Amino acid sequence: DTYDEDQDEIQCSYIESIRYGTYDSYGEIYVSNSQEINQTASVTGGQKFVLALVSMICVSLALYSCYLHHTMTNLLLKSLSSGLMAA
């Protein structure tokens, strides 16, 4: 029951925020000009580290997939050429 009550409270507060103009017509949070001046966005060192790590992992996996493709293609070519010579 506690879960249902929490969900009801969340839904009610969301509907109230729409009624009071917290969101614009696109569903994004409405920020007035006075609020924009005080807001700053910054990326933490941890976020930069994780982004760099994920990027390196993606590049590594891409290179590994190229290596595997090259190896498999060479094996296929070798097996085909040996099969043709035996026939």
Side-chain angles (χ1 to χ4, degrees), residues 1-9:
D1 255 21
T2 307
Y3 178 77
D4 291 336
E5 291 172 2
D6 291 341
Q7 288 299 317
D8 288 343
E9 185 177 326

Side-chain angles (χ1 to χ4, degrees), residues 26-77:
Y26 299 105
E28 296 179 4
I29 296 175
Y30 177 74
V31 179
S32 68
N33 288 338
S34 64
Q35 291 174 329
E36 286 180 15
I37 296 170
N38 297 332
Q39 292 182 350
T40 58
S42 62
V43 179
T44 65
Q47 290 172 328
K48 290 178 187 177
F49 174 75
V50 170
L51 181 62
L53 181 67
V54 169
S55 298
M56 288 189 302
I57 290 171
C58 287
V59 169
S60 299
L61 288 174
L63 291 173
Y64 184 62
S65 69
C66 290
Y67 166 75
L68 287 177
H69 179 268
H70 177 74
T71 304
M72 291 173 63
T73 305
N74 283 346
L75 286 174
L76 180 63
L77 289 174

Side-chain angles (χ1 to χ4, degrees), residues 72-87:
M72 291 173 63
T73 305
N74 283 346
L75 286 174
L76 180 63
L77 289 174
K78 286 179 185 177
S79 67
L80 286 177
S81 64
S82 65
L84 290 176
M85 290 183 179

